Amino acid sequence: QQQVKQSPQSLIVQKGGISIINCAYENTAFDYFPWYQQFPGKGPALLIAIRPDVSEKKEGRFTISFNKSAKQFSLHIMDSQPGDSATYFCAASNSGANNLFFGTGTRLTVIP
Amino acid sequence: EAGVAQSPRYKIIEKRQSVAFWCNPISGHATLYWYQQILGQGPKLLIQFQNNGVVDDSQLPKDRFSAERLKGVDSTLKIQPAKLEDSAVYLCASSLDWLQGEKLFFGSGTQLSVL
């Protein structure tokens, strides 16, 4: 059973546009929701994370929106750049970095 | 700051053979994780160590997979015998401490192909 469902599977955005990736979860015990960015041939790297006591967190061009009642959270990349082209994974856990459940990933391509 | 080191980078074996992967976490990180990432999927946790003790190995196929972290620093993951479905990237990650750490630092992984 997939603990975290992620969509879309792939996304193509023009340079300067907004990229939006969505995730949904079922386990209400989850209290930590990170997003990881992975470039080909590299391991995932933490991009941004949120806990459910806030509905939004922004770091530079990256924003997480969190909807606790709907059990959904999303990543918004503003002013998308070709260098943002990578695979993005959402994840969730009920104990920080321990036992993270990852989504299936979204392959983002930003066209110049 | 040196990152998580893994070797080898690639490994090709035939089914029923054995294989081992090595990981050296970031210095001072007490918690070490092994993840399996099958092509087109997200990483899946196999085993988690806190120092040299196992915290969680509930998703490790123990009939063929084993892992150790004898001195609480580097770790080895072994598969014996390998099956075709074990073809994946094996990622090692570390964090500061399992109670306080939130950020996982991943290595570049070992890509395993089982023929």
Side-chain angles (χ1 to χ4, degrees), chain A residues 24-44:
Chain A
Y25 64 97
E26 287 298 324
N27 189 342
T28 55
F30 288 153
D31 65 356
Y32 176 65
F33 303 90
W35 285 89
Y36 279 79
Q37 179 189 56
Q38 185 175 29
F39 292 104
K42 300 293 185 183

Side-chain angles (χ1 to χ4, degrees), chain A residues 32 36 38 41-44 46 51 89 96-100 102-104, chain B residues 9 33 35 37 40-43 45 48 98 101-104 106-108:
Chain A
Y32 176 65
Y36 279 79
Q38 185 175 29
K42 300 293 185 183
L46 180 65
R51 287 196 174 265
F89 293 95
N98 304 299
N99 202 15
L100 272 172
F102 283 83
T104 50
Chain B
R9 189 74 180 86
Y33 312 77
Y35 278 83
Q37 186 175 19
Q41 299 182 20
L45 179 67
Q48 176 183 339
W98 82 296
E102 287 191 342
K103 185 174 181 179
L104 281 182
F106 282 91
S108 294

Side-chain angles (χ1 to χ4, degrees), chain B residues 14-84:
Chain B
E14 295 188 350
K15 60 182 179 183
R16 292 187 289 274
Q17 286 187 323
S18 62
V19 64
F21 315 123
W22 175 83
C23 171
N24 195 326
I26 292 173
S27 177
H29 280 195
T31 311
L32 184 147
Y33 312 77
W34 283 101
Y35 278 83
Q36 179 193 57
Q37 186 175 19
I38 293 172
L39 186 65
Q41 299 182 20
K44 185 186 87 170
L45 179 67
L46 292 175
I47 189 167
Q48 176 183 339
F49 292 94
Q50 173 73 8
N51 295 313
N52 62 351
V54 175
V55 174
D56 182 358
D57 64 356
S58 57
Q59 298 184 87
L60 186 74
K62 298 180 186 64
D63 57 334
R64 299 183 300 106
F65 286 65
S66 64
E68 59 184 16
R69 194 185 184 198
L70 293 176
K71 296 183 179 179
V73 180
D74 57 348
S75 176
T76 302
L77 176 69
K78 296 179 181 177
I79 307 175
Q80 183 179 12
K83 292 186 176 182
L84 295 177

Side-chain angles (χ1 to χ4, degrees), chain A residues 17-88:
Chain A
I18 302 173
S19 303
I20 302 174
I21 305 170
N22 301 298
C23 283
Y25 64 97
E26 287 298 324
N27 189 342
T28 55
F30 288 153
D31 65 356
Y32 176 65
F33 303 90
W35 285 89
Y36 279 79
Q37 179 189 56
Q38 185 175 29
F39 292 104
K42 300 293 185 183
L46 180 65
L47 192 62
I48 186 173
I50 197 169
R51 287 196 174 265
D53 52 339
V54 296
S55 60
E56 186 174 282
K57 183 174 181 180
K58 184 176 181 179
E59 290 184 1
R61 296 184 293 109
F62 300 92
T63 300
I64 299 179
S65 296
F66 184 79
N67 186 328
K68 188 173 181 178
S69 60
K71 292 184 287 187
Q72 295 175 348
F73 58 109
S74 60
L75 176 69
H76 296 235
I77 306 175
M78 312 300 288
D79 187 26
S80 298
Q81 299 296 313
D84 297 331
S85 296
T87 299
Y88 292 82

